[in-house]
């Protein structure tokens, strides 16, 4: 089973590119971390009214995801993201991934 983390947020006015850049930095940081499987940056749907963006990361276990989230580099990027996004829209979700039969 995999551990999946999803984060969704809305950039503050004029911060779209900065948020995209920060999400890309975060995903590059994950590469090579222990337990990392894959990740995606979520771009807004061009047909949607909102400009929500986000990321999905997939890990071998919750422990690996938490260990990386507690590293200084991850926390620094997350802090910058919070400054560039509308706080009320920032949502974090975690799931256990189960492959279908």
């Amino acid at each position: 089973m995999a551990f999946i983390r999803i984060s969704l947020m809305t950039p503050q006015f004029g911060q779209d590119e900065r948020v995209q850049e920060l999400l890309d930095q975060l995903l590059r940081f994950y590469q090579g971390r222990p337990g990392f499987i894959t990740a995606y940056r979520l771009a807004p749907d061009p047909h949607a009214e909102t400009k929500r963006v986000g990321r999905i990361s997939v890990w071998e276990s919750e422990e690996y995801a938490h260990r990386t989230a507690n590293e200084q580099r991850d926390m620094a990027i997350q802090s910058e993201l919070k400054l560039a996004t509308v706080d009320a829209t920032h949502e974090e979700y975690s799931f256990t991934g189960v492959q279908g039969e």
Side-chain angles (χ1 to χ4, degrees), residues 10 21 40 76 82:
T10 302
E21 176 186 314
Y40 296 91
K82 288 189 188 308

Side-chain angles (χ1 to χ4, degrees), residues 60-77:
E60 291 177 13
S61 71
E62 183 176 3
E63 181 182 337
Y64 283 123
H66 286 323
R67 197 178 304 161
T68 298
N70 287 316
E71 290 188 37
Q72 186 175 0
R73 181 70 181 136
D74 187 279
M75 289 189 287
I77 297 170

